[in-house]
Amino acid sequence: MFVRKIYNDDFILQEGAKAGMLPESLEKERMVGQLQRDNFRKAYKAGAKMAFGTDAGVYPHGDNAKQFFYMVKYGMTPMQAIQAATINGADLLGWKDRVGSITPGKYADVVAVAGDPLADPAELTRVNFVMKGGAIVRNTVTN
């Protein structure tokens, strides 16, 4: 299973100087960031099984879904990117019998968005509804 995070580069280059990162660290990010993305594309094209990864310690928690855009930009279909975060992630954790798909007997962990994430993966950054373990924890959906 291949886990690569390729959103963090943009965040570091946009916010790193303001956060006090050293100029040499930012220069390294400029060199390494594109290489990470190119290697993501190569691994995907070579048939590597992919799981969604984040550097949520680098950027604010909650920005994780910005990763979907980059996964699609560097080769995956929107559905494959979603599956990397769901069924493939569950498989990687050894939890595919409990999470990763909407199946009877599994935890009811579900998010909903207003638009179509298969047409625009950025929709996944605008979550309107969250169900965790069968309990609604967020609902900003209006009728």
Side-chain angles (χ1 to χ4, degrees):
M1 186 84 61
F2 188 78
V3 179
R4 176 65 54 206
K5 44 268 173 244
I6 55 177
Y7 158 65
N8 59 327
D9 181 56
D10 281 10
F11 180 82
I12 291 169
L13 293 177
Q14 290 170 5
E15 303 295 327
K18 290 183 248 178
M21 289 185 76
L22 298 171
E24 54 267 25
S25 296
L26 294 171
E27 184 56 34
K28 179 182 175 188
E29 190 63 38
R30 282 183 197 78
M31 293 185 307
V32 173
Q34 189 58 51
L35 180 62
Q36 288 176 324
R37 291 170 180 192
D38 294 341
N39 286 337
F40 176 92
R41 185 187 314 248
K42 288 176 188 175
Y44 168 73
K45 284 185 176 183
K49 188 171 181 180
M50 307 291 249
F52 189 91
T54 72
D55 263 342
V58 172
Y59 50 79
H61 185 70
D63 283 357
N64 314 39
K66 292 180 179 179
Q67 175 78 1
F68 288 110
F69 169 82
Y70 291 93
M71 295 174 86
V72 172
K73 180 177 179 178
Y74 286 91
M76 296 181 115
T77 67
M79 180 57 82
Q80 289 167 330
I82 292 167
Q83 289 173 330
T86 55
I87 59 175
N88 292 0
D91 189 29
L92 176 65
L93 294 171
W95 276 35
K96 66 181 183 177
D97 62 326
R98 293 177 262 180
V99 299
S101 63
I102 301 172
T103 307
K106 291 189 178 183
Y107 292 101
D109 295 348
V110 180
V111 299
V113 296
D116 181 358
L118 298 179
D120 179 9
E123 284 294 329
L124 294 167
T125 66
R126 299 181 288 274
V127 174
N128 298 318
F129 176 89
V130 178
M131 179 180 284
K132 174 91 174 114
I136 296 171
V137 294
R138 179 178 184 187
N139 186 0
T140 59
V141 177
T142 57
N143 293 340

